[in-house]
Amino acid sequence: MPQSFFAELSLIIALAAVMSIIMRLIKQPLIIGHIITGVIVGPSVLHLIKSADTIDVFSSIGIALLLFIIGLGLNPKVIKEVGKVAGITGFVQVVLSTGIGYGGGIILGYSALQSLFFGIALAFSSTIIILKLLSDKKEQTRLYGKVVTGILLVQDVIAATALLFVTAHGGDHGFTLNELTWLIAKGLAIAVPMFFVGIVVLNRVHKFIAGSQELLFLFAIGWGFGFAALFERAGFSLEMGALLSGVALATLPYTQEVSARLRPLRDFFIIVFFITLGTQLNLHNLSNILPAVIVGSFVVIVIKPLLVLGIMGFMGYTKRTSFKTAVATAQISEFSLVFILLGKKQHLISNDLAATITIIALISIAISAYMIIYADRLYELFEADLSLFERRKERIHEHEKRRAVDIVLFGYHKGGQEFIKVFNNLKHSFVVVDYDPEVIDILEHQKIEYIYGDVTDIELLEEIDFSRPKLVVSTITDFDTTVFLARSFIDKNPSAVVICHADNVAEAEELYDLGITYVMMPHYIGSEKISSIIRRSGLKKSEFKSFREKHLAYLHKHYEDELDLDAEAET
């Protein structure tokens, strides 16, 4: 047996790694492996965990990071853009699923409160599982992928509200009106300044913070954990505080980079959370909770997708889009597990109900993973029977009318401005990827679509469907980064035109060997252009003065946005 917490944690992580390898081999989400690891090291099997309190602290950090990152994604602008279908489908599905789950709980003999918890837990779908599998399939930009993402955002908002009510309940005795009023007053006293600083103040200084990756990382952790602790001190849950602190930063342009920086840290601590969850499973009582597991699994895997299928079909979407959206929702959310865990801490639900929801999560995540991966084959199998869910007048969603991004530009400075001018003239859709906060301000001012982040970040690049672009241009001067981008695109889209930068002949030759279409060598191109000017003008200074004036006029005309922003900064 391990004699120290370090040895204990090391053994647990080692077992989790082995279990994750097994999950990987059988193509299952790693979350399942983490929960099974918890069962193995818990009291039901090996009973290895002796430092339960310390493990719980690690678990709480994982939950806080998870909800903080979810909060960062709850940008009101994004929620507004996902459209009516996501709002209606997400809301109606949650209400109906909760009602059906509540009825099932009553039939199973649960109290009204426990039945409500049962129904709510079954209603939400997993953001982590769905987005990961959509990303693996490169279908997050497909119509159904956008709708699913929108539904998840709506569910997250509803789940946040549910967390608030669990926090406000106050345990076994419930809460009085005065207690609830005082709790809300304390929450507003923290939330109002937090949102004011997050939306107003940070919008003025965000360039300074985002200019350093280390400062951005440290600031995000300090902000999230700090406000989570304040909310917990005020009587709310740590989870609620972490979620709202993320929402307060959601409108900033660098939330995507913050999320990317925090994910590795979150992944480690969230592993401990799911392992801790697994340790709380009492398999000796499995026969008593089996009926509830069967009912709950049926609601999640069958009833919930049918609800989504029916709602979207009624709204006029094709049966393929509706089916693939529905299939993606057939599991329990990590939010549901946090919700149930909070209910258990507040003594609102029994240990058996918490174990029931955890087992349903295991079953539904495992089955839904295969359903999402093989959604197209399942659709072909059930296609004839799905006409019932499709209105005769099929609707073409506006996202299907949009063209995919034809061009990707890495780097705005050092010539990127001129490329954008050409792209606009060609009237092709394009996106700019850059890490400079000054550049992001310029792109926002010009209303140019952009992605903020480090181009060597794998998760950042996964947001771009490499098979789509017809032209890829990189003005990045770092050679290793250029090679990384070249291999990333050429391997997955050999037909695309790829243009990169090189400083010397050796670099250019290596890039051409990789398959780059054209290598820019600025000093060579610049020398060639100046040589042509000399040939035309000879040695007359007056001719050069004419070119000088034209060049200055060109710079002022094409870079006036940068000049305006610099002037604003000086004042």
Side-chain angles (χ1 to χ4, degrees):
M1 289 293 179
Q3 299 300 313
S4 68
F5 170 71
F6 179 79
E8 185 176 315
L9 181 63
S10 299
L11 178 58
I12 292 171
I13 296 300
L15 288 174
V18 173
M19 190 58 63
S20 295
I21 292 173
I22 296 174
M23 292 298 107
R24 182 75 172 174
L25 290 174
I26 62 177
K27 297 181 179 180
Q28 283 295 320
L30 299 188
I31 288 177
I32 295 176
H34 303 332
I35 297 177
I36 293 176
T37 300
V39 175
I40 294 173
V41 302
S44 296
V45 185
L46 300 180
H47 195 51
L48 296 179
I49 293 182
K50 305 300 180 183
S51 308
D53 292 340
T54 309
I55 294 291
D56 285 342
V57 172
F58 275 58
S59 174
S60 297
I61 293 174
I63 297 173
L65 285 169
L66 171 65
L67 293 178
F68 178 63
I69 292 175
I70 289 176
L72 289 173
L74 295 180
N75 188 335
K77 295 179 182 178
V78 175
I79 297 173
K80 183 179 179 181
E81 291 170 0
V82 298
K84 183 171 68 174
V85 60
I88 293 176
T89 304
F91 179 77
V92 175
Q93 176 266 309
V94 168
V95 171
L96 293 179
S97 297
T98 300
I100 294 171
Y102 177 85
I106 294 296
I107 294 174
L108 289 166
Y110 291 138
S111 67
L113 182 59
Q114 291 206 96
S115 297
L116 183 60
F117 268 85
F118 186 64
I120 292 174
L122 301 181
F124 301 121
S125 302
S126 173
T127 301
I128 293 177
I129 299 299
I130 294 174
L131 295 186
K132 178 64 170 63
L133 292 176
L134 287 180
S135 177
D136 290 345
K137 294 182 69 178
K138 308 299 180 186
E139 292 185 351
Q140 64 269 37
T141 58
R142 297 275 295 274
L143 173 57
Y144 92 92
K146 290 178 180 292
V147 174
V148 170
T149 303
I151 291 173
L152 291 174
L153 287 173
V154 173
Q155 288 186 355
D156 287 345
V157 172
I158 299 173
T161 306
L163 283 180
L164 175 61
F165 277 98
V166 173
T167 301
H169 192 279
D172 294 328
H173 65 279
F175 57 85
T176 65
L177 181 60
N178 288 337
E179 289 173 336
L180 179 59
T181 302
W182 175 234
L183 186 67
I184 292 174
K186 290 190 292 183
L188 289 175
I190 300 174
V192 171
M194 179 182 70
F195 277 92
F196 175 78
V197 173
I199 296 173
V200 178
V201 178
L202 290 182
N203 262 320
R204 299 177 181 273
V205 299
H206 61 74
K207 287 189 293 182
F208 173 76
I209 297 174
S212 168
Q213 297 182 30
E214 292 182 14
L215 177 58
L216 184 64
F217 176 76
L218 185 61
F219 169 79
I221 294 178
W223 177 277
F225 284 6
F227 279 107
L230 280 176
F231 272 94
E232 185 180 40
R233 183 73 175 174
F236 292 88
S237 68
L238 181 75
E239 293 79 7
M240 191 67 195
L243 181 72
L244 289 179
S245 66
V247 175
L249 300 182
T251 57
L252 293 178
Y254 311 118
T255 54
Q256 188 176 29
E257 179 67 11
V258 171
S259 297
R261 294 288 170 191
L262 290 178
R263 280 189 192 111
L265 189 64
R266 176 208 67 184
D267 289 344
F268 171 75
F269 285 107
I270 207 66
I271 287 171
V272 180
F273 164 66
F274 285 116
I275 291 174
T276 304
L277 198 65
T279 63
Q280 298 173 8
L281 282 178
N282 186 0
L283 298 183
H284 302 300
N285 200 31
L286 184 59
S287 59
N288 293 336
I289 64 175
L290 187 59
V293 170
I294 294 173
V295 171
S297 299
F298 182 77
V299 171
V300 173
I301 299 171
V302 179
I303 300 298
K304 190 160 69 171
L306 285 176
L307 291 173
V308 174
L309 192 60
I311 296 166
M312 290 188 63
F314 179 78
M315 296 180 68
Y317 284 81
T318 63
K319 55 187 179 182
R320 177 183 288 274
T321 298
S322 301
F323 178 79
K324 296 187 74 172
T325 303
V327 162
T329 63
Q331 76 286 123
I332 278 185
S333 171
E334 59 280 348
F335 230 140
S336 299
L337 297 175
V338 173
F339 179 70
I340 287 295
L341 189 62
L342 277 177
K344 182 181 174 184
K345 286 182 179 178
Q346 296 275 17
H347 306 290
L348 301 175
I349 64 172
S350 65
N351 291 335
D352 282 354
L353 180 55
T356 298
I357 295 299
T358 305
I359 294 175
I360 293 172
L362 280 170
I363 295 172
S364 62
I365 290 172
I367 294 176
S368 70
Y370 286 105
M371 291 171 67
I372 295 173
I373 293 171
Y374 299 107
D376 290 313
R377 295 186 185 179
L378 288 173
Y379 174 76
E380 294 173 1
L381 182 63
F382 295 107
E383 182 177 5
D385 300 320
L386 294 174
S387 299
L388 175 67
F389 299 95
E390 185 178 46
R391 294 170 65 181
R392 292 188 177 183
K393 184 178 180 181
E394 295 180 353
R395 170 182 173 175
I396 300 177
H397 194 273
E398 61 180 356
H399 287 302
E400 293 181 333
K401 298 178 181 178
R402 296 176 184 170
R403 292 179 298 174
V405 175
D406 298 320
I407 304 169
V408 181
L409 172 63
F410 291 97
Y412 178 79
H413 281 314
K414 299 185 179 180
Q417 306 94 325
E418 184 64 28
F419 283 115
I420 288 177
K421 177 185 174 184
V422 174
F423 301 159
N424 283 326
N425 290 336
L426 292 174
K427 297 182 179 179
H428 280 284
S429 57
F430 64 92
V431 64
V432 181
V433 182
D434 205 295
Y435 184 68
D436 188 343
E438 298 282 350
V439 168
I440 299 303
D441 279 342
I442 294 170
L443 297 176
E444 283 193 330
H445 186 71
Q446 295 179 344
K447 294 181 171 57
I448 294 173
E449 185 177 355
Y450 67 86
I451 296 176
Y452 169 78
D454 185 350
V455 297
T456 60
D457 186 342
I458 297 295
E459 292 192 6
L460 181 79
L461 291 180
E462 285 179 350
E463 296 183 17
I464 305 171
D465 186 351
F466 287 0
S467 65
R468 302 274 185 170
K470 301 175 183 177
L471 172 65
V472 178
V473 179
S474 173
T475 64
I476 296 172
T477 56
D478 181 74
F479 182 68
D480 291 335
T481 302
T482 301
V483 170
F484 172 78
L485 289 174
R487 287 174 174 162
S488 298
F489 270 93
I490 292 172
D491 290 345
K492 298 180 180 179
N493 188 356
S495 63
V497 174
V498 182
I499 301 174
C500 292
H501 172 281
D503 286 328
N504 53 57
V505 175
E507 290 181 355
E509 288 180 345
E510 184 173 343
L511 291 173
Y512 278 127
D513 288 340
L514 288 174
I516 293 297
T517 311
Y518 183 77
V519 177
M520 298 181 293
M521 301 179 68
H523 61 279
Y524 174 82
I525 297 173
S527 299
E528 187 178 41
K529 184 175 180 63
I530 293 298
S531 298
S532 66
I533 293 175
I534 293 173
R535 280 195 298 269
R536 283 183 292 171
S537 305
L539 304 178
K540 297 178 182 179
K541 188 173 182 178
S542 58
E543 293 294 328
F544 277 95
K545 185 178 180 180
S546 175
F547 283 114
R548 176 179 179 274
E549 296 299 328
K550 290 178 180 177
H551 192 208
L552 279 172
Y554 172 86
L555 292 176
H556 281 282
K557 178 181 179 181
H558 290 82
Y559 307 124
E560 57 186 7
D561 284 325
E562 293 183 62
L563 296 175
D564 291 341
L565 287 172
D566 289 340
E568 291 177 8
E570 291 177 0
T571 57

